[in-house]
Amino acid sequence: MVTQISYKRACKLHFEVSPLKIVRASKQYLYDDNGCEYLDCISNVAHVGHCHPHVVHAGQEQMGKLVTSAGFLDDKMVQYAKRIIETLPDQLCVCFFVNSGSEANDLAIRLAKSYTKNEDFIVLDQAYHGNIGSLLELSPSRWKKIGITQKEWVHVVDYPDLYRGRHKDDANPALKYAQQVHTAIKKANEKGRNVAAFISEPLMTSGGVVVYPPKYLKLVYSFVRSSGGVCIADEIQVGLGRCGESFWAFQMHDVVPDIITVGKPLGNGHPMAMVVTTKEIADSIGEFNSTFGGNPVACAIGMAVLDVIHNEKLMSSARNVGKCLMDGMRAIAPNHPMLGDIRGTGMVIGIEIVTDQESKKPSKEGAEILAYKLKEQKIIVANDGPNKNVMMILPPMCFTCDNARRVVQAFDLALADIEKGTSNKPLDQSEDGKMNIPLNILSGLGGPAGLGIMAEEEEDDEPDVKRARYDEMD
C-alpha cells in the first residue's frame, strides 16, 4: 500500500494547489480536460513540438513492422548512428544506445572509470545528472533533499555564477572558477586519489540556467586532461540545436568532450538516449548491451526528429526566438524591480525574480506567485534553480516570436500586479504541508478582462500561417 507521503513525493505536480489535468498536446500548446489551451514554455522533452505528425507517423509505421531486434542486424540503428555522428567532431564516433538520460550518464561514468582506471569525479555545485544511485551521488542539488552525504570520491566546485557568485566582479572570472577545478585535482592527488572525469552541462540548467564565461570550459578541460581524466558533456537538456548557436551546446565553447550524453530531445517524448565517445574509450569497457536501447522504433523516431530539426530550421529559429524573448524581457526590466538577471541562449532561458535589483536577493515567493499568475494567463512557466526563484523557459522548439511577445507581455502585467501589492498575501505552507495560495491568484484577479490579455488570446485569432510549417509535414 502506498502511503500518502510517498505518493506526494512520487507524484510531484506543477501547481500543486490547483493542478492541471492535461489530456492533449499539439506543437507548443497543452490542453486540459476542460479544453483550455495553454502556451507551454517548459516541455523541452517535446523537442520539435508535441505530437509532431512526422515523428508520430515514423513511430507508428515502424511499430507495425518491427519493434525489437536485440542481437540482430538492424539498418535503422546504423542509419541513425551515422546521422548523429555526422553532427559531431570526427573523434566522437562510437554510439551506445540506451533508454534515458540517467542511463546515459551512468554509462558515461562507467566508461570514464574503465578508461582512466581512476575513481574520482569533479562536479559543479547544484548539478543534477540523473535519478539513479550512481548519479545522485554526483548531483549536489539533490543531496540535502534526499539525505545523501558527499562521498570521498566526489569533488564539488562552484558553478561559474556571474550574477551573484564569488568571482562575479573579477577581471577574469573564467580563470578564477576554473582554478577551483585545478585545486580539487591537486587536493585529490594529495590524498592518493586520481580524477576519472569532470562532468557538467555545457549550459547549466540545474543551476537556474548558468551561462559560463568565455574560455571557462576550455580551461577546465585542459586541467582535467593534464591530470589524466576525461571530460563528459551532459547534453541531455541543451543539445540538438536548442542553444541556437550550434547543434551541440559544447560547440559554443570551442571544446571537444571525450564523452557526450544525450537524452530528452532525441525522441520528442519517446524514451531514448545515447552516449557518444571515442573508439579508445569505447573499447575500454569490455562488454555492454541494452535490450531496448536503439530499438527500431526508437531509431525511426530519432531520425524523424532530426528530419524536423533540419527541415523546419529549428536551430536558427531557436536563436532568433530566444533573442526576441530576451530582448523583450530586458526592455521591460527597468519597469520592474523584481526582474533580476535575464540570461541564456536560444531556447534555454532563465529569468531571476528578486526582491530588488540592487540587493539581488532571490525571491522564491515572488517566483511562485508569478508562476500562478502566468497560469491564469494560460502560460505555463516553472520556477527552479538553487533558490527556486528562476523562471525557466525551455519550450518546444517550434515556439515563435509571437509566442515570445505574448510571454513578455504576460510577465509585464503579472509583475506590475505583484509589485503594486495586489497580491500582498504570501505563499506559505500550512501545518499539513499544503501551500496556501492567495485567492486572487487562483481566481485570475477578476478573469480575463482583469488581466488584459486573456480575452484576446482565448479567441485564438492567431492566423494559421504562423503554424503552417508544422501542419505541412507529411
Side-chain angles (χ1 to χ4, degrees):
M1 180 177 177
V2 180
T3 66
Q4 185 177 10
I5 293 176
S6 64
Y7 176 82
K8 286 180 179 179
R9 288 177 179 171
C11 303
K12 184 172 175 61
L13 298 169
H14 296 297
F15 311 109
E16 290 183 341
V17 172
S18 56
L20 293 172
K21 183 177 181 180
I22 300 300
V23 298
R24 185 169 66 88
S26 176
K27 311 165 192 177
Q28 62 272 44
Y29 300 97
L30 301 169
Y31 300 87
D32 69 12
D33 52 346
N34 294 314
C36 294
E37 180 184 271
Y38 294 84
L39 179 60
D40 181 2
C41 299
I42 62 175
S43 293
N44 60 321
V45 177
H47 191 65
V48 300
H50 291 282
C51 304
H52 194 291
H54 182 60
V55 178
V56 171
H57 175 73
Q60 290 174 333
E61 183 178 50
Q62 183 58 47
M63 193 170 287
K65 294 179 180 178
L66 179 66
V67 174
T68 181
S69 60
F72 298 97
L73 298 176
D74 176 24
D75 288 341
K76 283 281 192 295
M77 182 185 290
V78 175
Q79 292 165 1
Y80 184 43
K82 182 179 179 181
R83 290 186 63 178
I84 288 290
I85 288 170
E86 286 173 348
T87 69
L88 290 163
D90 291 345
Q91 60 266 52
L92 295 172
C93 60
V94 180
C95 297
F96 293 90
F97 294 92
V98 290
N99 306 290
S100 72
S102 291
E103 265 191 87
N105 277 338
D106 182 67
L107 177 56
I109 298 307
R110 180 180 164 192
L111 284 163
K113 288 181 177 181
S114 65
Y115 179 70
T116 64
K117 311 304 180 191
N118 299 331
E119 297 290 327
D120 287 27
F121 289 83
I122 299 175
V123 298
L124 298 178
D125 192 18
Q126 296 303 321
Y128 174 71
H129 294 294
N131 62 5
I132 59 179
S134 63
L135 300 173
L136 288 171
E137 292 177 339
L138 294 173
S139 300
S141 65
R142 298 298 189 270
W143 289 352
K144 288 183 180 179
K145 296 176 183 177
I146 57 180
I148 290 179
T149 56
Q150 183 176 347
K151 302 300 186 289
E152 188 179 10
W153 51 272
V154 179
H155 310 277
V156 181
V157 298
D158 289 349
Y159 62 87
D161 181 2
L162 299 181
Y163 183 54
R164 59 169 71 86
R166 70 173 78 185
H167 300 304
K168 66 181 186 302
D169 297 321
D170 195 272
N172 191 347
L175 179 60
K176 287 290 187 180
Y177 281 113
Q179 282 176 335
Q180 291 189 23
V181 174
H182 183 266
T183 300
I185 294 169
K186 184 179 179 181
K187 288 182 177 179
N189 294 160
E190 289 171 352
K191 295 178 180 179
R193 310 187 67 89
N194 294 296
V195 170
F198 168 81
I199 179 171
S200 74
E201 297 178 278
L203 175 60
M204 189 181 181
T205 59
S206 60
V209 183
V210 178
V211 180
Y212 305 152
K215 298 184 179 180
Y216 169 74
L217 275 189
K218 183 167 277 193
L219 288 165
V220 169
Y221 280 23
S222 176
F223 291 146
V224 172
R225 285 171 173 154
S226 65
S227 73
V230 297
C231 301
I232 303 170
D234 180 342
E235 294 267 353
I236 291 166
Q237 299 260 30
V238 295
L240 271 68
R242 177 166 288 279
C243 291
E245 299 300 324
S246 55
F247 198 77
W248 301 103
F250 72 79
Q251 292 169 325
M252 297 189 299
H253 302 280
D254 192 26
V255 297
V256 178
D258 301 292
I259 305 170
I260 73 165
T261 57
V262 202
K264 299 180 190 304
L266 288 175
N268 210 51
H270 185 83
M272 57 186 296
M274 69 166 57
V275 178
V276 188
T277 188
T278 66
K279 186 177 186 302
E280 293 76 18
I281 293 175
D283 287 344
S284 73
I285 200 172
E287 182 180 350
F288 171 81
N289 64 75
S290 172
T291 301
F292 299 111
N295 67 73
V297 175
C299 290
I301 288 172
M303 286 190 283
V305 169
L306 295 179
D307 291 341
V308 176
I309 294 171
H310 175 74
N311 293 341
E312 300 188 7
K313 298 179 174 57
L314 293 183
M315 189 169 83
S316 61
S317 175
R319 180 176 62 251
N320 296 332
V321 176
K323 183 179 185 302
C324 178
L325 199 151
M326 286 197 288
D327 286 350
M329 289 295 178
R330 286 166 180 155
I332 66 171
N335 302 324
H336 298 292
M338 293 180 66
L339 205 51
D341 197 27
I342 299 160
R343 56 183 180 255
T345 179
M347 287 283 88
V348 186
I349 296 171
I351 302 164
E352 290 252 6
I353 303 302
V354 295
T355 56
D356 62 272
Q357 293 173 355
E358 184 176 351
S359 73
K360 301 180 183 178
K361 182 179 178 181
S363 178
K364 175 184 175 182
E365 178 182 283
E368 288 174 339
I369 294 173
L370 179 58
Y372 276 90
K373 283 185 171 292
L374 293 172
K375 178 189 170 216
E376 288 300 311
Q377 298 188 53
K378 302 296 187 289
I379 295 174
I380 306 301
V381 179
N383 58 300
D384 206 343
N387 299 295
K388 301 298 180 187
N389 73 306
V390 181
M391 310 307 291
M392 304 283 285
I393 300 180
L394 289 87
M397 295 270 280
C398 51
F399 213 75
T400 67
C401 279
D402 281 347
N403 296 146
R405 294 185 190 101
R406 177 181 168 189
V407 170
V408 171
Q409 183 183 7
F411 266 73
D412 193 24
L413 289 169
L415 284 168
D417 182 70
I418 296 171
E419 290 160 351
K420 287 175 184 175
T422 304
S423 302
N424 53 11
K425 293 184 180 180
L427 290 177
D428 55 14
Q429 290 189 336
S430 60
E431 292 181 1
D432 62 1
K434 294 181 179 179
M435 191 73 77
N436 295 322
I437 308 293
L439 290 178
N440 59 345
I441 304 296
L442 302 180
S443 64
L445 297 169
L451 287 170
I453 186 172
M454 281 312 304
E456 177 181 352
E457 289 294 337
E458 285 180 344
E459 294 176 6
D460 196 21
D461 57 359
E462 183 177 348
D464 290 340
V465 68
K466 295 178 182 176
R467 306 181 193 175
R469 288 184 305 166
Y470 200 111
D471 295 331
E472 287 170 359
M473 294 300 294
D474 292 333

